[in-house]
Amino acid sequence: MKKALKIILIVVVILAAGLFGFRKYTKSHSPESVAAFDQNGLKISVKYCQPSVKGREIFGKLVPYGQVWRTGANEATEITFSKDIKWATRS
């Protein structure tokens, strides 16, 4: 029983270390950034991964014209609001 518990613990530690290393590796390619807005008691925060051009010419060279460039979306963008809002679109 103790041997099985030790093996499970070792596997969990290895998986956790691998996940941490993978997150750090992907963040180096598209660093995390935050845009914030604060007015009249309403605070809006947008946390996203920003694209890294790294001196490259993107459009027409790395990505042909007319194709979509994957712009650093390593993780989902998070939007937080300090209070309830109404979200509407115009037709």
Side-chain angles (χ1 to χ4, degrees):
M1 183 69 176
K2 287 183 180 182
K3 187 175 183 179
L5 187 59
K6 285 181 182 179
I7 291 172
I8 291 172
L9 181 61
I10 290 170
V11 168
V12 168
V13 168
I14 290 171
L15 289 174
L19 179 63
F20 178 75
F22 181 72
R23 284 183 52 92
K24 186 160 181 71
Y25 174 75
T26 59
K27 294 282 185 188
S28 67
H29 293 294
S30 295
E32 195 172 90
S33 189
V34 176
F37 172 82
D38 184 358
Q39 186 176 17
N40 299 330
L42 173 64
K43 295 178 184 177
I44 303 172
S45 175
V46 180
K47 190 165 108 176
Y48 63 98
C49 291
Q50 65 187 47
S52 293
V53 175
K54 297 180 184 175
R56 300 173 291 181
E57 188 174 339
I58 304 299
F59 301 107
K61 297 278 183 172
L62 183 64
V63 178
Y65 289 111
Q67 289 189 4
V68 176
W69 177 40
R70 181 184 172 276
T71 58
N74 289 337
E75 302 206 15
T77 299
E78 295 178 26
I79 303 174
T80 55
F81 302 92
S82 62
K83 54 174 126 175
D84 291 342
I85 63 163
K86 289 185 179 182
W87 192 283
T89 60
R90 291 186 174 182
S91 311

